[in-house]
Amino acid sequence: MNVQTLPPGYKTAPWMPPETITGAMLAEASNKLIELLRIRTQPIGMRLFEDPAEMDAIKGVRKPTEGFKFTMCQMVTQSRWYGFTLGITVDNTRGGNCGGVVGLNHPGEGFLSGDHMNGVWFGNKEASAAHQAQMPRVPDGKYNGLVVSPLRSARLDPPDICLFYGTPGQMIYFINGLQYHRYRRYDFTVTGESACADSWGRALATRQTSLSLPCFAERRYGGVADDELLMACPPDELLRAVEGMGHLGKNGLRYPFPPYGAVMDPALGMAKSYS
């Protein structure tokens, strides 16, 4: 992009991500993300594999004990809290929906028909079936394995998507960083229960930055805290946000946001933040 083709209002070309993104770049960005946002747990990466044998070549990859099955949110928690690099196939997932969200299996007619959630999460079969029909999913039939790993390890080189948990304040600052050089309005989805479809499901399927409200299952089985949201994004968007937040910090806009006070005249603060 040259100066003659810049969008209105731009004096210099917007920041662009590197053509090739490596695990080492994302490990460095992960450290910066923790420093900038003070998040509680490790940012992680997630990558799908067509051939599960390729997962065995990843350094330090763990496989679940034979006969053990987990929900996807439990696997994510093992990686972000305990630092595990975990490789799984559909045989390690609990329930047709978990593997179905990431494309490891067909969800099954019991879910798609609405039978399984009817009378529990939904008051009628039509609502339950509509929930399944509208869930973002990776199409099944192509992928047979998935690995989750902390970005700091650089073991996924690179991952398909990056994920981290944070508070609403941390998430809006991350989005501000995304918008610093290249403004884009971000629209996010709310599935309700099965909200992993709004985070890693949507991001893996579309490669779009996806913010989600973790659901009952993520909180009950994955241990997600009450104040946590989940961000999932492609690697270039993580680099873009970290770079943008660096500029925001230089402009005096840093996380955490110091409260100005609800009974104070905001003129002085607003003059620095908005003019």
Side-chain angles (χ1 to χ4, degrees):
M1 180 179 289
N2 58 53
V3 71
Q4 284 77 30
T5 60
L6 290 176
Y10 280 103
K11 297 180 181 178
T12 58
W15 179 87
M16 296 295 291
E19 289 188 10
T20 301
I21 296 175
T22 67
M25 290 177 187
L26 295 173
E28 182 180 357
S30 173
N31 292 333
K32 289 181 179 178
L33 185 71
I34 293 170
E35 179 183 351
L36 289 164
L37 292 182
R38 308 184 189 188
I39 57 177
R40 292 192 287 253
T41 59
Q42 286 291 322
I44 65 171
M46 187 177 286
R47 183 172 173 180
L48 287 163
F49 290 84
E50 295 183 34
D51 182 359
E54 293 181 18
M55 300 189 302
D56 296 334
I58 297 174
K59 182 180 178 181
V61 68
R62 297 169 179 250
K63 301 287 185 65
T65 302
E66 186 175 354
F68 274 62
K69 294 179 182 290
F70 299 104
T71 62
M72 279 292 300
C73 47
Q74 287 178 305
M75 298 173 201
V76 166
T77 295
Q78 291 179 47
S79 187
R80 73 168 176 127
W81 275 105
Y82 313 135
F84 292 172
T85 296
L86 185 62
I88 59 103
T89 65
V90 67
D91 294 333
N92 307 124
T93 62
R94 175 66 66 183
N97 247 5
C98 266
V101 166
V102 294
L104 297 185
N105 62 272
H106 187 270
E109 291 309 314
F111 281 103
L112 297 180
S113 67
D115 284 340
H116 285 342
M117 290 191 175
N118 182 26
V120 183
W121 287 103
F122 305 98
N124 55 75
K125 186 173 178 179
E126 290 75 20
S128 184
H131 163 257
Q132 292 291 318
Q134 296 179 44
M135 280 175 57
R137 288 189 180 95
V138 177
D140 64 281
K142 181 178 181 181
Y143 298 108
N144 299 289
L146 180 144
V147 172
V148 291
S149 181
L151 293 180
R152 68 182 180 186
S153 72
R155 289 175 177 173
L156 297 178
D157 194 20
D160 292 327
I161 60 171
C162 307
L163 306 99
F164 70 93
Y165 286 80
T167 66
Q170 290 164 336
M171 292 304 183
I172 191 59
Y173 191 62
F174 182 86
I175 293 169
N176 294 151
L178 281 170
Q179 295 170 327
Y180 184 79
H181 283 294
R182 178 216 57 188
Y183 182 80
R184 174 177 295 172
R185 177 185 168 86
Y186 287 88
D187 293 304
F188 305 121
T189 58
V190 180
T191 293
E193 182 52 31
S194 313
C196 59
D198 297 311
S199 53
W200 53 75
R202 182 173 183 260
L204 284 170
T206 67
R207 297 301 193 265
Q208 294 184 45
T209 294
S210 303
L211 180 67
S212 76
L213 302 169
C215 63
F216 172 87
E218 290 176 81
R219 299 179 190 281
R220 181 171 173 84
Y221 304 112
V224 175
D226 216 27
D227 63 345
E228 287 184 310
L229 303 176
L230 174 54
M231 179 69 75
C233 62
D236 62 299
E237 288 277 87
L238 181 73
L239 296 182
R240 183 185 299 281
V242 167
E243 204 274 346
M245 286 187 288
H247 287 282
L248 291 172
K250 292 176 184 176
N251 293 340
L253 305 171
R254 303 182 185 92
Y255 183 86
F257 313 119
Y260 197 78
V263 296
M264 299 292 291
D265 184 336
L268 181 60
M270 294 186 75
K272 293 182 178 180
S273 300
Y274 294 101
S275 62

